[in-house]
Amino acid sequence: YRELNLVENYMDNEQLQRLLTVLKTDKNRAVCNIVLFLLSTGARLNEALQAKWQFIDIDRCVWRIPATNSKSGKVRAVPLNETSLSVLSMQQDTEDGDTDEHDFVFINRQTGKPYTTIQKVWDRLRRKARLGHVRIHDLRHQYASMLVNSGRTLYEVQQILGHSTPKVTMRYSHLSTSTLQSASSCAADAIKEAMKKTG
């Protein structure tokens, strides 16, 4: 299991767009919302499926994951961005604004109970998006890669993902190297431009 967890699959922009199109249009809105929430927060599937409204502060844009649901065994605060807040808003709308009716954020409408798995539907969604290699856990890696490639530090990624040690987060260091290489290329571009002007 540990070896499988070290495998990382990343989507390029075209693949990500295909997935988002499927998530936006597929009839299974509940599971699509769960997948989009995972992609928007970097949460583990189990954390999302056990998410309760009482731990979500919409006003402060924070989702608190209790120690009992966290892999590290510690309370973790996940910042909620615009996309994840949109998913939560859609979940509230499906409950007619009454979140007191259910403790859990993601409820299976057929059973009236929280989801325990979404693997079967996820397999269908990823095939529909032509993403044969992408696992649910890869959505967490994708989130981390989006942060790192946007220039966020590995320390920030560690804090948001709730890694107990920096060593775990270091798996994304190759992404930051790529970002730094891209930044360094800006200097080369400036030098080449200046050389043109000197004749």
Side-chain angles (χ1 to χ4, degrees):
Y1 290 110
R2 181 180 299 240
E3 185 176 340
L4 287 174
N5 193 38
L6 292 177
V7 175
E8 297 159 22
N9 296 309
Y10 299 102
M11 292 177 279
D12 60 28
N13 285 338
E14 184 182 331
Q15 291 170 324
L16 180 58
Q17 287 171 7
R18 288 204 307 264
L19 176 60
L20 292 174
T21 298
V22 169
L23 296 182
K24 188 177 179 182
T25 58
D26 191 81
K27 62 186 179 184
N28 194 324
R29 302 311 311 141
V31 173
C32 286
N33 280 347
I34 293 171
V35 172
L36 186 56
F37 192 72
L38 293 173
L39 189 60
S40 303
T41 60
R44 297 176 180 91
L45 176 61
N46 192 50
E47 294 170 339
L49 297 185
Q50 293 183 31
K52 293 185 177 181
W53 288 111
Q54 71 184 88
F55 298 119
I56 292 175
D57 189 332
I58 299 289
D59 295 333
R60 294 181 179 172
C61 302
V62 174
W63 165 33
R64 197 164 45 86
I65 299 177
T68 52
N69 295 353
S70 175
K71 186 178 178 182
S72 66
K74 298 176 182 177
V75 176
R76 186 164 128 241
V78 177
L80 297 171
N81 54 37
E82 184 179 346
T83 312
S84 56
L85 288 169
S86 175
V87 170
L88 293 173
S89 177
M90 286 187 276
Q91 288 303 112
Q92 287 179 321
D93 289 344
T94 59
E95 296 182 8
D96 299 322
D98 184 13
T99 55
D100 294 331
E101 182 184 346
H102 297 290
D103 292 334
F104 292 88
V105 174
F106 299 105
I107 296 292
N108 186 327
R109 291 290 154 194
Q110 293 180 333
T111 65
K113 296 178 180 179
Y115 281 89
T116 55
T117 182
I118 62 167
Q119 190 61 53
K120 190 174 179 181
V121 179
W122 167 248
D123 286 341
R124 181 179 65 77
L125 293 174
R126 69 180 172 80
R127 284 197 304 270
K128 190 174 178 181
R130 304 192 313 277
L131 300 172
H133 64 291
V134 179
R135 306 160 302 162
I136 291 176
H137 194 74
D138 289 324
L139 300 174
R140 182 169 163 86
H141 297 312
Q142 186 72 29
Y143 174 83
S145 76
M146 289 188 286
L147 293 185
V148 173
N149 286 328
S150 296
R152 309 319 302 189
T153 67
L154 292 179
Y155 176 77
E156 289 171 310
V157 175
Q158 177 192 346
Q159 295 304 305
I160 292 174
L161 293 184
H163 290 155
S164 54
T165 67
K167 184 178 179 181
V168 182
T169 318
M170 285 303 294
R171 69 171 68 178
Y172 304 112
S173 61
H174 68 285
L175 297 171
S176 61
T177 301
S178 173
T179 302
L180 292 173
Q181 185 64 48
S182 176
S184 175
S185 295
C186 293
D189 292 341
I191 292 168
K192 282 193 291 186
E193 189 62 32
M195 282 181 170
K196 286 180 188 175
K197 292 179 181 178
T198 61

Coordinates of all heavy atoms in Angstrom, one line a residue, residues 56-104:
I56 N -17.7 23.2 9.6 CA -17.4 24.1 8.5 C -17.9 25.5 8.8 O -19.0 25.7 9.2 CB -18.2 23.6 7.2 CG1 -17.5 22.3 6.8 CG2 -18.1 24.6 6.1 CD1 -18.2 21.6 5.6
D57 N -16.9 26.4 8.8 CA -17.2 27.9 9.0 C -17.2 28.6 7.7 O -16.1 29.0 7.2 CB -16.2 28.4 10.0 CG -16.5 29.8 10.5 OD1 -17.2 30.6 9.7 OD2 -16.1 30.2 11.6
I58 N -18.3 28.8 7.1 CA -18.5 29.4 5.8 C -17.9 30.9 5.9 O -17.2 31.4 5.0 CB -19.9 29.4 5.3 CG1 -20.4 28.0 5.1 CG2 -20.0 30.2 4.0 CD1 -19.8 27.3 4.0
D59 N -18.3 31.6 6.9 CA -17.9 33.0 7.1 C -16.4 33.2 7.1 O -15.8 34.1 6.5 CB -18.5 33.6 8.3 CG -20.0 33.7 8.3 OD1 -20.5 33.8 7.1 OD2 -20.7 33.6 9.3
R60 N -15.7 32.3 7.8 CA -14.2 32.4 7.9 C -13.5 31.5 6.9 O -12.3 31.5 6.8 CB -13.8 31.9 9.3 CG -14.2 32.9 10.4 CD -13.8 32.4 11.7 NE -14.2 33.4 12.8 CZ -14.0 33.1 14.1 NH1 -13.5 32.0 14.5 NH2 -14.5 34.0 15.0
C61 N -14.3 30.8 6.0 CA -13.7 30.0 4.9 C -12.7 29.0 5.5 O -11.6 28.8 5.0 CB -13.0 30.9 3.9 SG -14.1 32.1 3.2
V62 N -13.2 28.2 6.5 CA -12.3 27.2 7.1 C -13.2 26.0 7.4 O -14.3 26.0 7.9 CB -11.7 27.7 8.4 CG1 -10.9 26.6 9.1 CG2 -10.8 28.9 8.2
W63 N -12.6 24.8 7.0 CA -13.2 23.5 7.4 C -12.2 22.9 8.4 O -11.1 22.6 8.1 CB -13.3 22.7 6.1 CG -13.5 21.2 6.3 CD1 -14.2 20.6 7.3 CD2 -13.1 20.2 5.4 NE1 -14.3 19.3 7.1 CE2 -13.6 19.0 6.0 CE3 -12.4 20.1 4.2 CZ2 -13.3 17.7 5.4 CZ3 -12.1 18.9 3.7 CH2 -12.6 17.7 4.2
R64 N -12.7 22.6 9.6 CA -11.9 22.0 10.6 C -12.2 20.4 10.6 O -13.3 20.0 10.7 CB -12.3 22.5 12.0 CG -11.3 22.3 13.0 CD -11.5 23.2 14.3 NE -12.9 23.3 14.7 CZ -13.5 22.4 15.5 NH1 -12.9 21.4 16.0 NH2 -14.8 22.5 15.8
I65 N -11.1 19.7 10.4 CA -11.2 18.2 10.4 C -10.8 17.8 11.8 O -9.6 18.0 12.2 CB -10.2 17.6 9.3 CG1 -10.6 18.1 7.9 CG2 -10.3 16.1 9.4 CD1 -9.7 17.7 6.8
P66 N -11.7 17.1 12.5 CA -11.4 16.7 13.8 C -10.3 15.6 13.8 O -10.1 14.9 12.8 CB -12.7 16.1 14.3 CG -13.7 16.1 13.2 CD -13.1 16.8 12.1
A67 N -9.6 15.4 14.9 CA -8.5 14.5 15.1 C -9.0 13.1 14.7 O -8.2 12.3 14.2 CB -7.9 14.6 16.5
T68 N -10.2 12.7 15.0 CA -10.7 11.4 14.8 C -10.8 11.1 13.3 O -10.8 9.9 12.9 CB -12.1 11.2 15.4 OG1 -13.0 12.3 15.0 CG2 -12.0 11.2 17.0
N69 N -10.9 12.1 12.5 CA -11.0 11.9 11.0 C -9.7 12.2 10.3 O -9.7 12.0 9.1 CB -12.1 12.8 10.4 CG -13.5 12.5 11.0 OD1 -13.7 11.5 11.7 ND2 -14.5 13.3 10.6
S70 N -8.7 12.7 11.0 CA -7.5 13.0 10.4 C -6.5 11.9 10.5 O -6.3 11.3 11.5 CB -6.9 14.3 11.1 OG -5.6 14.6 10.6
K71 N -5.7 11.7 9.4 CA -4.7 10.6 9.3 C -3.6 10.8 10.3 O -3.1 9.9 10.9 CB -4.2 10.5 7.9 CG -3.2 9.3 7.7 CD -2.7 9.3 6.3 CE -1.7 8.1 6.1 NZ -1.2 8.1 4.8
S72 N -3.3 12.1 10.6 CA -2.2 12.4 11.5 C -2.7 12.3 13.0 O -1.9 12.3 13.9 CB -1.7 13.8 11.3 OG -2.7 14.8 11.6
G73 N -4.0 12.2 13.2 CA -4.5 12.1 14.5 C -4.6 13.5 15.2 O -4.7 13.6 16.4
K74 N -4.4 14.5 14.4 CA -4.5 15.9 15.0 C -5.6 16.7 14.2 O -5.8 16.4 13.1 CB -3.1 16.6 14.8 CG -2.0 15.9 15.5 CD -0.7 16.6 15.2 CE 0.5 15.9 15.9 NZ 1.8 16.5 15.6
V75 N -6.1 17.7 14.9 CA -7.1 18.6 14.3 C -6.4 19.3 13.2 O -5.2 19.8 13.3 CB -7.7 19.6 15.3 CG1 -8.6 20.6 14.7 CG2 -8.4 18.8 16.4
R76 N -7.1 19.5 12.1 CA -6.5 20.1 10.9 C -7.5 21.2 10.4 O -8.7 20.9 10.3 CB -6.2 19.1 9.8 CG -5.5 19.7 8.7 CD -4.8 18.6 7.8 NE -5.2 18.7 6.4 CZ -5.9 17.8 5.8 NH1 -6.3 16.7 6.4 NH2 -6.2 18.0 4.5
A77 N -7.0 22.3 10.1 CA -7.8 23.4 9.5 C -7.5 23.5 8.0 O -6.4 23.7 7.6 CB -7.6 24.7 10.2
V78 N -8.5 23.3 7.2 CA -8.4 23.4 5.7 C -9.0 24.7 5.2 O -10.2 24.9 5.4 CB -9.1 22.2 5.0 CG1 -9.0 22.3 3.5 CG2 -8.5 20.9 5.5
P79 N -8.2 25.5 4.6 CA -8.8 26.8 4.0 C -9.7 26.5 2.8 O -9.4 25.6 2.0 CB -7.5 27.6 3.5 CG -6.5 26.5 3.3 CD -6.8 25.4 4.3
L80 N -10.9 27.1 2.8 CA -11.8 26.9 1.8 C -11.7 28.0 0.7 O -11.8 29.2 1.0 CB -13.2 26.8 2.4 CG -13.5 25.7 3.4 CD1 -14.9 25.9 4.0 CD2 -13.5 24.4 2.6
N81 N -11.5 27.6 -0.5 CA -11.4 28.5 -1.6 C -12.7 28.7 -2.3 O -13.7 28.1 -1.9 CB -10.3 28.1 -2.6 CG -10.5 26.7 -3.1 OD1 -11.6 26.2 -3.3 ND2 -9.4 26.0 -3.3
E82 N -12.7 29.5 -3.3 CA -14.0 29.8 -4.0 C -14.7 28.6 -4.6 O -15.9 28.5 -4.5 CB -13.7 30.8 -5.2 CG -14.9 31.3 -5.9 CD -14.6 32.3 -7.0 OE1 -13.5 32.8 -7.0 OE2 -15.5 32.6 -7.8
T83 N -13.9 27.7 -5.1 CA -14.5 26.5 -5.7 C -15.1 25.6 -4.7 O -16.2 25.0 -4.8 CB -13.5 25.7 -6.5 OG1 -12.8 26.6 -7.4 CG2 -14.1 24.6 -7.4
S84 N -14.4 25.3 -3.6 CA -14.9 24.5 -2.5 C -16.1 25.1 -1.8 O -17.1 24.4 -1.5 CB -13.8 24.2 -1.5 OG -13.3 25.3 -0.9
L85 N -16.1 26.4 -1.7 CA -17.3 27.1 -1.1 C -18.5 27.0 -2.0 O -19.7 26.8 -1.6 CB -17.0 28.6 -0.9 CG -16.0 28.9 0.3 CD1 -15.6 30.3 0.3 CD2 -16.7 28.5 1.6
S86 N -18.3 27.0 -3.3 CA -19.3 26.8 -4.3 C -20.0 25.4 -4.2 O -21.2 25.3 -4.3 CB -18.8 27.0 -5.7 OG -19.8 26.7 -6.7
V87 N -19.1 24.4 -4.0 CA -19.6 23.0 -3.8 C -20.5 23.0 -2.5 O -21.6 22.4 -2.5 CB -18.4 22.0 -3.7 CG1 -18.9 20.7 -3.2 CG2 -17.7 21.9 -5.0
L88 N -20.0 23.6 -1.4 CA -20.8 23.6 -0.2 C -22.1 24.3 -0.4 O -23.1 23.9 0.2 CB -19.9 24.3 0.9 CG -18.7 23.5 1.3 CD1 -17.9 24.3 2.3 CD2 -19.1 22.1 2.0
S89 N -22.1 25.4 -1.1 CA -23.3 26.1 -1.4 C -24.3 25.2 -2.2 O -25.5 25.2 -1.9 CB -23.0 27.4 -2.2 OG -24.2 28.0 -2.6
M90 N -23.8 24.4 -3.1 CA -24.7 23.5 -3.9 C -25.2 22.4 -3.0 O -26.4 22.0 -3.1 CB -23.9 22.9 -5.1 CG -23.6 23.8 -6.2 SD -22.9 23.0 -7.6 CE -21.2 23.1 -7.2
Q91 N -24.4 22.0 -2.0 CA -24.9 21.0 -1.1 C -26.0 21.5 -0.2 O -26.9 20.8 0.1 CB -23.7 20.5 -0.3 CG -22.7 19.6 -1.0 CD -23.4 18.4 -1.6 OE1 -23.5 18.3 -2.9 NE2 -23.9 17.5 -0.8
Q92 N -25.8 22.8 0.2 CA -26.9 23.4 1.0 C -28.2 23.6 0.2 O -29.2 23.3 0.7 CB -26.4 24.8 1.5 CG -25.4 24.7 2.6 CD -24.9 26.1 3.0 OE1 -24.7 27.0 2.2 NE2 -24.7 26.3 4.3
D93 N -28.0 23.9 -1.1 CA -29.2 24.0 -1.9 C -30.0 22.7 -2.1 O -31.2 22.7 -2.1 CB -28.8 24.6 -3.3 CG -28.4 26.0 -3.3 OD1 -28.7 26.7 -2.3 OD2 -27.7 26.5 -4.2
T94 N -29.2 21.6 -2.2 CA -29.9 20.3 -2.3 C -30.6 19.9 -1.0 O -31.5 19.1 -1.1 CB -28.9 19.2 -2.6 OG1 -27.9 19.1 -1.6 CG2 -28.2 19.4 -4.0
E95 N -30.3 20.6 0.1 CA -31.0 20.3 1.3 C -32.0 21.4 1.6 O -32.4 21.6 2.8 CB -29.9 20.2 2.5 CG -29.0 19.0 2.3 CD -28.0 18.9 3.5 OE1 -28.2 19.6 4.5 OE2 -27.1 18.1 3.4
D96 N -32.3 22.2 0.6 CA -33.2 23.3 0.8 C -32.8 24.3 1.9 O -33.6 24.9 2.6 CB -34.6 22.8 1.1 CG -35.1 21.9 -0.1 OD1 -34.9 22.3 -1.2 OD2 -35.8 20.9 0.2
G97 N -31.4 24.4 2.0 CA -30.9 25.4 3.0 C -31.0 24.9 4.4 O -30.5 25.5 5.3
D98 N -31.5 23.7 4.6 CA -31.6 23.2 6.0 C -30.5 22.1 6.3 O -30.7 20.9 6.1 CB -33.0 22.5 6.2 CG -33.2 22.0 7.6 OD1 -32.4 22.4 8.5 OD2 -34.2 21.3 7.9
T99 N -29.4 22.6 6.7 CA -28.3 21.7 7.0 C -28.4 21.0 8.3 O -27.7 20.2 8.7 CB -26.9 22.5 7.0 OG1 -27.0 23.6 7.9 CG2 -26.6 23.0 5.6
D100 N -29.5 21.4 9.1 CA -29.7 20.7 10.4 C -30.4 19.4 10.2 O -30.3 18.5 11.0 CB -30.7 21.6 11.3 CG -30.0 22.9 11.7 OD1 -28.8 22.9 11.8 OD2 -30.7 23.9 11.9
E101 N -30.9 19.2 9.0 CA -31.6 17.9 8.7 C -30.6 16.8 8.7 O -30.8 15.7 9.1 CB -32.3 18.0 7.3 CG -33.0 16.7 7.0 CD -33.6 16.8 5.6 OE1 -33.7 17.9 5.0 OE2 -34.0 15.7 5.0
H102 N -29.3 17.1 8.2 CA -28.3 16.1 8.1 C -27.0 16.7 8.7 O -26.7 17.8 8.5 CB -28.0 15.7 6.6 CG -29.2 15.0 6.0 ND1 -29.6 13.8 6.3 CD2 -30.0 15.5 5.0 CE1 -30.6 13.5 5.5 NE2 -30.9 14.5 4.7
D103 N -26.3 15.8 9.5 CA -25.1 16.3 10.1 C -24.0 16.3 9.0 O -23.1 17.2 9.0 CB -24.6 15.3 11.2 CG -25.5 15.4 12.4 OD1 -26.2 16.4 12.6 OD2 -25.6 14.4 13.1
F104 N -24.0 15.4 8.1 CA -22.9 15.2 7.1 C -23.2 16.1 5.9 O -24.3 16.3 5.5 CB -22.8 13.8 6.7 CG -22.3 12.8 7.7 CD1 -23.2 12.2 8.6 CD2 -21.0 12.6 7.9 CE1 -22.7 11.4 9.6 CE2 -20.5 11.7 8.9 CZ -21.4 11.2 9.8

